[in-house]
Amino acid sequence: MEQMRYGIVGVGMMGREHVANLAHLRTEGAVVTCIADPHPPSLHLTLDLARSLALPPPQTFSGHKELLDSGLCDVVVVSSPNMTHFEILMDIIQHTKPHHILVEKPLCTTVEHCKKVVEAAKQRPDILVQVGLEYRYMPPVAKLIEVVKSGTLGQVKMVAIREHRFPFLIKVNNWNRFNINSGGTLVEKCCHFFDLMRLFAGANPVRVMASGAIDVNHKDEVYDGKVPDIIDNAYVIVEFDNGSRGMLDLCMFAEGSRNEQEISVVGDIGKGEAFVPESIVRVGMRKTGRDGVATITAEDKRIKYDGLHHGSSYLEHLNFLAAIRAQGSSGPSVNLQDGLLSVAIGVAGQLSIELGRFVTIDEVLSQ
């Protein structure tokens, strides 16, 4: 198997998760050759992880530019804090040596920066860029996508996604406690769900209405004299250009939940639901009613490592590696336009909460 060399920029919790996933793709020729992070403890933890996985020690760098100039990698995974994505992506795209890119969600923290990355990437047909919206690959979600695309449910009219979970985890220097760094909760966390809404609806967003607040979490935390400003719960309504609607119900102080994510897609002839981490899908038709609802256990036998996201990160890497080896003939499964629109919906939601009104996507995209 031809070797594919990976560099990881940002080796905090998610960066190390990528290292672990790639370690399980050794049989596919994936090898992590270098890592970059300005935070020495993160570098040390990653070297410890590499040893525990019996990997050759990757070369370490304090900055992404040194990693790019080293010539040690063909693919760069960007898993640094959100507010650093724009600068790093532009440096990778404009580098003389082509590097394929897998960038963690969100693509960038602002629509303006996302648009600039999209335009820059158009000038580099020699590289592939995939956005890490890996929830598409979770087995129950992937199964529900399959059901919807098969037409089983008819024309999709409503998509409802509930995420009831724990608060944001602690990150290096607490960067994720502030909107200016993360883009806001609806960008940082919920771009996953807005991406899924677009996928299920088979349409693009038109306008967004949201209500949200900081009601429980982080209110007693202070960092450098500043209190966190990230919301911990919200309802978000998204209207699409084919007349369908999506709704997100987010609560980040709901640890007492059987499932962290519950997704409902209703068409004009049937309904499908996916549950994570139970990993089941339920499908029912209007004409057969409640007694006709079928329950399907969702699994993907290709997964060799479940990790933090129920195997979806492993499948994400597997698919991206296949796209790279196909020399771009199939394109990345989650492209820059997907990344841009998932951020745009989140930004519109954040703005809607601030202004107390519907916000159009055109309004956001024109910024």
Side-chain angles (χ1 to χ4, degrees):
M1 182 70 68
E2 179 190 359
Q3 191 178 79
M4 191 65 67
R5 304 176 303 163
Y6 285 76
I8 314 290
V9 176
V11 285
M13 183 188 73
M14 198 59 212
R16 294 192 295 275
E17 176 73 355
H18 284 296
V19 171
N21 276 282
L22 290 166
H24 286 82
L25 282 160
R26 278 175 285 195
T27 55
E28 302 295 324
V31 56
V32 177
T33 54
C34 49
I35 58 177
D37 199 303
H39 187 62
S42 293
L43 292 173
H44 295 321
L45 286 170
T46 307
L47 291 174
D48 289 344
L49 174 64
R51 279 191 291 271
S52 73
L53 294 168
L55 298 176
Q59 178 69 47
T60 62
F61 300 97
S62 60
H64 68 280
K65 292 181 179 180
E66 292 86 351
L67 179 144
L68 295 173
D69 290 340
S70 72
L72 290 173
C73 59
D74 311 298
V75 185
V76 179
V77 178
V78 179
S79 45
S80 55
N82 299 0
M83 67 284 190
T84 67
H85 286 189
F86 174 64
E87 178 186 348
I88 292 170
L89 286 170
M90 295 298 281
D91 285 344
I92 301 171
I93 292 168
Q94 294 170 355
H95 199 271
T96 52
K97 172 181 164 36
H99 298 86
H100 302 298
I101 306 167
L102 174 62
V103 54
E104 264 302 329
K105 60 79 194 169
L107 174 57
C108 296
T109 58
T110 70
V111 169
E112 177 187 9
H113 283 169
C114 288
K115 287 164 64 177
K116 287 181 178 179
V117 169
V118 171
E119 289 306 310
K122 287 179 181 177
Q123 309 307 313
R124 293 300 300 264
D126 52 342
I127 68 174
L128 292 182
V129 186
Q130 178 161 314
V131 183
L133 294 164
E134 81 278 356
Y135 278 37
R136 292 183 179 208
Y137 296 114
M138 286 184 182
V141 179
K143 182 63 179 178
L144 184 55
I145 291 169
E146 179 186 318
V147 169
V148 170
K149 287 188 173 181
S150 73
T152 300
L153 309 182
Q155 180 64 47
V156 171
K157 299 297 182 182
M158 302 179 75
V159 181
I161 300 178
R162 171 183 289 168
E163 181 173 59
H164 281 194
R165 54 162 279 175
F166 48 88
F168 278 120
L169 300 174
I170 295 174
K171 298 292 182 74
V172 174
N173 296 326
N174 304 292
W175 67 263
N176 64 337
R177 294 305 198 251
F178 299 96
N179 291 330
I180 190 66
N181 297 329
S182 70
T185 299
L186 298 183
V187 172
E188 150 62 18
K189 184 73 196 75
C190 304
C191 57
H192 278 305
F193 306 122
F194 301 138
D195 176 61
L196 292 179
M197 284 182 190
R198 281 187 62 234
L199 203 58
F200 287 125
N204 284 322
V206 175
R207 64 177 190 162
V208 177
M209 179 65 189
S211 173
I214 312 168
D215 285 333
V216 175
N217 299 336
H218 316 305
K219 297 176 78 170
D220 58 351
E221 299 174 13
V222 179
Y223 304 101
D224 297 326
K226 298 177 181 177
V227 177
D229 60 357
I230 48 170
I231 63 172
D232 60 13
N233 70 100
Y235 291 119
V236 184
I237 297 170
V238 184
E239 296 179 348
F240 291 90
D241 59 11
N242 64 354
S244 59
R245 288 184 301 280
M247 184 186 75
L248 172 67
D249 167 1
L250 173 72
C251 181
M252 300 188 71
F253 45 89
E255 292 91 333
S257 301
R258 183 179 180 88
N259 284 293
E260 191 170 312
Q261 289 95 24
E262 300 178 8
I263 301 172
S264 166
V265 181
V266 185
D268 53 5
I269 61 173
K271 174 183 177 181
E273 297 176 281
F275 301 87
V276 180
E278 266 188 302
S279 205
I280 60 172
V281 173
R282 293 196 179 104
V283 180
M285 311 307 294
R286 293 181 69 190
K287 63 182 180 181
T288 54
R290 182 177 299 163
D291 293 338
V293 175
T295 300
I296 305 162
T297 299
E299 61 179 349
D300 191 320
K301 293 184 178 178
R302 295 175 298 168
I303 297 172
K304 296 180 180 178
Y305 175 68
D306 284 336
L308 300 176
H309 298 102
H310 314 290
S312 61
S313 294
Y314 178 87
L315 294 174
E316 171 184 58
H317 276 291
L318 191 64
N319 279 271
F320 188 46
L321 185 55
I324 293 170
R325 288 195 165 132
Q327 297 182 336
S329 59
S330 60
S333 57
V334 190
N335 61 36
L336 285 170
Q337 188 68 13
D338 296 323
L340 165 63
L341 288 174
S342 69
V343 168
I345 299 173
V347 168
Q350 293 283 150
L351 192 58
S352 176
I353 292 171
E354 179 185 337
L355 300 178
R357 63 169 174 84
F358 267 103
V359 173
T360 68
I361 296 300
D362 283 347
E363 179 182 349
V364 168
L365 289 177
S366 66
Q367 292 179 353

